[in-house]
Amino acid sequence: MAERQGQAAQDALLTRIGQVVMLHRGGDREEARRRFLDLWTELGADGDPLHRCTLAHYLADTQDDPEDELAWDLRALTAAEELTGDRLDRHEGAPAARALYPSLHLNLAADYVRLGRPDAARTHLRRARGAAEALADDNYGEGVRAAIRRLQLRLDGGRG
């Protein structure tokens, strides 16, 4: 019974994160940022790593300052890395965490491009490309791989 209640609470949190994502995609960036921050506070530093990863990943997209966006993207990657080894294999969200790695590294690469740090961008782009090999040949996988190619072209075009 307690296990089902815990699962229901986790599902409810993911639902709430999804609702805020829709709000953000609908154009209300400031309200989405406020609600994401409220969820971050509610989740806490010891919250489920997959939830922290997901929340920080989306919170990064609501930031106005590139340094703040980088900080949230780094938090997302750090939380994802907590789901490694045995812990990842035991966690119900393990496949979701693995599928996030290409996007996490792609976002970091884009952050570093905006901040004028091409070497760091290339490092994360290489990691994104490697992680993307595990993605399915579906819309998500194709979209991530296309974004990696676009960012690579942008970086290559920026070389003097």
Side-chain angles (χ1 to χ4, degrees):
M1 177 76 156
E3 185 177 315
R4 264 191 279 154
Q5 288 174 336
Q7 183 64 39
Q10 289 182 0
D11 291 345
L13 181 61
L14 291 175
T15 298
R16 291 167 62 202
I17 291 170
Q19 290 168 338
V20 181
V21 168
M22 290 189 308
L23 179 69
H24 179 234
R25 289 183 180 159
D28 198 343
R29 183 181 179 116
E30 288 183 31
E31 181 63 17
R33 180 174 43 233
R34 186 188 67 72
R35 290 186 190 188
F36 278 141
L37 287 170
D38 288 347
L39 288 172
W40 184 262
T41 299
E42 181 181 322
L43 184 57
D46 295 326
D48 180 82
L50 182 62
H51 292 152
R52 285 187 288 118
C53 174
T54 304
L55 190 50
H57 182 63
Y58 287 118
L59 234 166
D61 294 337
T62 67
Q63 302 306 304
D64 297 322
D65 182 307
E67 291 283 350
D68 292 338
E69 186 171 359
L70 173 63
W72 283 108
D73 281 331
L74 287 169
R75 284 182 187 103
L77 182 61
T78 299
E81 289 173 343
E82 289 180 30
L83 293 168
T84 58
D86 292 340
R87 224 174 141 188
L88 181 60
D89 293 335
R90 289 191 316 259
H91 195 282
E92 286 182 30
R98 284 186 188 102
L100 278 175
Y101 270 100
S103 183
L104 294 172
H105 285 293
L106 177 62
N107 285 355
L108 284 164
D111 294 342
Y112 286 122
V113 167
R114 279 190 291 280
L115 292 167
R117 296 174 57 189
D119 291 340
R122 284 185 183 86
T123 296
H124 282 283
L125 195 57
R126 192 170 39 258
R127 290 176 184 163
R129 192 177 303 106
E133 291 176 6
L135 293 177
D137 289 328
D138 58 10
N139 288 338
Y140 175 75
E142 291 170 21
V144 171
R145 285 187 286 273
I148 290 169
R149 287 189 300 272
R150 285 191 304 271
L151 189 56
Q152 185 68 59
L153 288 171
R154 183 174 169 193
L155 274 169
D156 290 346
R159 287 186 192 165

